[in-house]
Amino acid sequence: MVDNFQNIENIAVPLPITSEVREIAHNFAAGQATKQKAEQILYNTLAVLTVKSYLEMLGIATDLPSSDSWNLIMRTCDDVADLNISNLGKLECRPLKNSDPSCHIPMEVWDLRLGYVVVEIDNSFKKAALLGFVPQVATEKLAVTHLTPIEALIDHLHDLKASTANSA
């Protein structure tokens, strides 16, 4: 855990949000029934694609098409921001607006997740920062001060992969 938001910012992993990623997110958000739902889908999509980019840089395979966040009906009906990690399961990638002290974790994603990554999205939609990770949640508000550094995610995925290999 990190003492305060300033310390989170110091250990966060900054990543660019490309114009291609912004275009996908805006396309997913377009045509929603409410402005609130469109904004939710926009932020969720940016968070998922940022985590996907990070994991791919580390050589961790993802399966975006099998993620609920990539399914039109699921992302429209639910507040999902999951990324399927190949042969392991779903990782929830929760967006955080610039400098918010906590992240919303909807109850519908409290189960069947490998963990939760919090991604701060810059107001310009051109930069993101991976703030940290937690393996599980039991509340709708996750304070950024409760996050462990993003490196803990890599250790967690490695441990899950090892335990899956041992039980096979």
Side-chain angles (χ1 to χ4, degrees):
M1 263 189 274
V2 180
D3 296 339
N4 61 43
F5 193 84
Q6 189 66 37
N7 289 342
I8 283 280
E9 296 263 313
N10 291 336
I11 62 169
V13 175
L15 292 166
I17 298 175
T18 66
S19 59
E20 179 185 357
V21 165
R22 285 192 304 276
E23 183 177 340
I24 292 167
H26 283 291
N27 286 340
F28 279 10
Q32 294 303 312
T34 67
K35 183 179 177 183
Q36 181 182 6
K37 186 62 178 181
E39 184 177 279
Q40 177 191 88
I41 289 174
L42 175 72
Y43 275 88
N44 286 354
T45 304
L46 292 171
V48 168
L49 291 174
T50 298
V51 173
K52 179 183 183 299
S53 174
Y54 176 71
L55 293 177
E56 286 180 347
M57 284 189 287
L58 297 175
I60 297 172
T62 62
D63 183 8
L64 192 56
S66 68
S67 304
D68 291 340
S69 61
W70 229 246
N71 178 301
L72 173 63
I73 294 169
M74 292 297 290
R75 76 173 169 259
T76 302
C77 295
D78 291 329
D79 183 1
V80 292
D82 67 316
L83 175 62
N84 197 33
I85 308 299
S86 298
N87 303 316
L88 285 180
K90 294 179 179 185
L91 179 68
E92 192 69 19
C93 311
R94 299 308 305 179
L96 181 76
K97 292 181 182 174
N98 219 7
S99 300
D100 280 353
S102 65
C103 178
H104 175 70
I105 312 284
M107 286 181 73
E108 66 240 37
V109 301
W110 287 9
D111 294 324
L112 306 173
R113 295 294 190 257
L114 302 172
Y116 303 80
V117 175
V118 176
V119 182
E120 183 181 43
I121 307 293
D122 184 74
N123 292 334
S124 70
F125 301 124
K126 293 184 178 178
K127 296 184 289 184
L130 302 179
L131 295 182
F133 163 79
V134 293
Q136 58 192 26
V137 295
T139 180
E140 288 192 42
K141 289 284 184 190
L142 174 61
V144 295
T145 54
H146 289 131
L147 297 172
T148 58
I150 197 66
E151 292 79 17
L153 167 66
I154 307 311
D155 294 338
H156 182 69
L157 293 177
H158 182 270
D159 293 345
L160 288 172
K161 192 172 187 176
S163 68
T164 302
N166 290 338
S167 63

